Amino acid sequence: MKIATGSILNMTPAQPGWTVTFHHGEPETVTCPVIGWATVVEALLGDGTALTSVKAAFVYLDSVWTADELREHDHEVSAVLLNAPAATPADALV
């Protein structure tokens, strides 16, 4: 596999409750479920080493996106925020 900047190398499922919220034009605000965590290539070094980061992968308009990918393809998207699930009460863990 030829690795390039922006490539997703792998993905692992996200815990339920994670979401992303972003603005799409004005004044529309969109909230989407995070379905996983993607390892994304940020840069390639001269020796072939890939520098990576972990990014939220979410569903929007029947496709899976990371924030960078969505902003690259839709210039009306701005201010993508990652939202953690609400804390689970301690008594629910017993």
Side-chain angles (χ1 to χ4, degrees), residues 1 11 13-16 19 25 27 37-38 40-41 44-47 51 60 62 64 66 68 70 74-75 86 91:
M1 172 172 101
M11 210 165 101
Q15 172 188 358
T19 61
W37 304 103
V40 180
V41 176
L44 295 171
L45 302 181
D47 65 0
L51 300 179
Y60 175 62
D62 296 327
V64 177
T66 64
D68 292 342
L70 185 58
D74 188 338
H75 299 289
D91 60 351

Side-chain angles (χ1 to χ4, degrees), residues 1-4 6-11 38-41 50-53:
M1 172 172 101
K2 178 130 173 109
I3 296 174
S7 295
I8 294 177
L9 301 178
N10 59 35
M11 210 165 101
T39 304
V40 180
V41 176
L51 300 179
T52 61
S53 64

Side-chain angles (χ1 to χ4, degrees), residues 9-47:
L9 301 178
N10 59 35
M11 210 165 101
T12 191
Q15 172 188 358
W18 286 89
T19 61
V20 294
T21 303
F22 58 89
H23 298 285
H24 187 266
E26 290 296 330
E28 184 182 1
T29 299
V30 179
T31 299
C32 302
V34 172
I35 60 164
W37 304 103
T39 304
V40 180
V41 176
E42 295 292 334
L44 295 171
L45 302 181
D47 65 0

Side-chain angles (χ1 to χ4, degrees), residues 68-91:
D68 292 342
E69 285 179 314
L70 185 58
R71 282 192 295 257
E72 184 178 315
H73 288 86
D74 188 338
H75 299 289
E76 291 188 44
V77 171
S78 63
V80 179
L81 302 173
L82 179 62
N83 309 298
T88 304
D91 60 351

